[in-house]
Amino acid sequence: MRIELNRELCAGSATCTGFVPTAFKIGQDGRAVLLIDDADEIDADTLADAVANCPVEAITLIEAE
């Protein structure tokens, strides 16, 4: 599974960093920064919670083909 983050949509709420601090951090501009591309090392339920709780839907999970 791959993670995509739309930084233009990001509102900087830091919800994602609370759920998965190994995958997201808040950058100097106040928006989330993706630290990894491959989500296979992260618990799928926790990652799904991060996606579901993003208030602006800036995070997308893409299944591997």
Side-chain angles (χ1 to χ4, degrees), residues 3-7 10 12 14 16-17 20-37 58-59:
I3 306 169
E4 283 190 358
L5 172 65
N6 184 333
R7 294 193 79 235
C10 181
C16 56
T17 64
V20 194
T22 58
F24 302 98
K25 74 173 187 174
I26 297 299
Q28 292 182 358
D29 63 355
R31 295 179 182 189
V33 175
L34 187 59
L35 302 174
I36 62 171
D37 291 322
I59 307 167

Side-chain angles (χ1 to χ4, degrees), residues 16-63:
C16 56
T17 64
F19 281 100
V20 194
T22 58
F24 302 98
K25 74 173 187 174
I26 297 299
Q28 292 182 358
D29 63 355
R31 295 179 182 189
V33 175
L34 187 59
L35 302 174
I36 62 171
D37 291 322
D38 186 1
D40 291 337
E41 300 173 10
I42 300 171
D43 177 70
D45 290 335
T46 303
L47 191 53
D49 286 342
V51 172
N53 285 284
C54 178
V56 294
E57 299 178 358
I59 307 167
T60 305
L61 296 179
I62 300 174
E63 294 290 333

